Amino acid sequence: ITSLASKACDAPTALITLIDEERQWFKSCFGFETRETDVGLSFCVHAVHQGKMLVVEDATADPRFQDNPLVTEPPHVRFYAGAPLRTPDGVHIGTLCIFDYEARTFDAAQREVLEQLAEMVVDRFEHRSAEAQAEQLIDENPQPMIVYARDDGTVLDANRAAQEQY
């Protein structure tokens, strides 16, 4: 998704960020090597707090970011756009964001693409969470359980009790 966001929005860097009280860490990175930063340096925390997309077309001209070390020192971020990742419960957990090293504009079509991709990220998180819960339910059940594919009957999973019994 970060690769797609980068290409669709014509930005060299895209990140999926997750934010807690002390740091932001990058679940996925495209065009960026760092894996986490202090939350005090985060552009994304501003998008999360306002609960809607944040676009900064020139960070050197924005009072919130003009003294930020990410702007004044390498990597010299100039442009940023971040769409909050909102869970079905309404909690903002991070962003799907892009940034560039040159100031630029961000049109309505690119905003829409970034927001739709952010929704895809949350959908993927929710899907993985549901899968993990199902696996835990199967694995911890003391009764034999076998999960079959509906279409062709292929065995997809079996818990320890089923493996021992069958």
Side-chain angles (χ1 to χ4, degrees), residues 17-160:
T17 69
L18 299 174
I19 297 174
D20 64 23
E21 291 180 10
E22 298 174 6
R23 67 187 176 122
Q24 75 173 348
W25 61 279
F26 309 133
K27 179 76 174 158
S28 176
C29 300
F30 182 85
F32 200 64
E33 297 300 319
T34 303
R35 294 295 179 218
E36 72 177 66
T37 64
D38 182 275
V39 77
L41 300 178
S42 174
F43 282 62
C44 300
V45 77
H46 292 270
V48 166
H49 286 309
Q50 73 183 27
K52 62 181 183 176
M53 183 175 295
L54 172 66
V55 177
V56 179
E57 293 183 342
D58 184 355
T60 63
D62 189 311
R64 295 171 294 182
F65 305 110
Q66 63 190 14
D67 295 328
N68 186 313
L70 296 174
V71 174
T72 61
E73 301 169 15
H76 298 289
V77 173
R78 293 295 177 263
F79 168 84
Y80 168 90
L85 303 176
R86 191 175 93 198
T87 68
D89 298 338
V91 177
H92 294 102
I93 59 172
T95 68
L96 171 62
C97 69
I98 58 169
F99 60 89
D100 202 337
Y101 310 104
E102 297 177 16
R104 65 190 189 99
T105 59
F106 197 57
D107 66 37
Q110 291 170 319
R111 288 173 191 253
E112 184 177 345
V113 166
L114 194 62
E115 286 176 340
Q116 289 175 351
L117 290 172
E119 289 174 11
M120 286 178 60
V121 170
V122 173
D123 288 347
R124 290 257 175 114
F125 284 165
E126 291 298 312
H127 181 75
R128 285 186 181 170
S129 176
E131 281 181 340
Q133 289 174 1
E135 284 181 26
Q136 183 179 6
L137 177 68
I138 293 166
D139 291 344
E140 293 178 0
N141 192 325
Q143 298 299 317
M145 290 185 75
I146 300 173
V147 179
Y148 296 95
R150 225 183 265 201
D151 56 348
D152 65 1
T154 302
V155 174
L156 300 174
D157 198 3
N159 67 1
R160 181 177 298 276

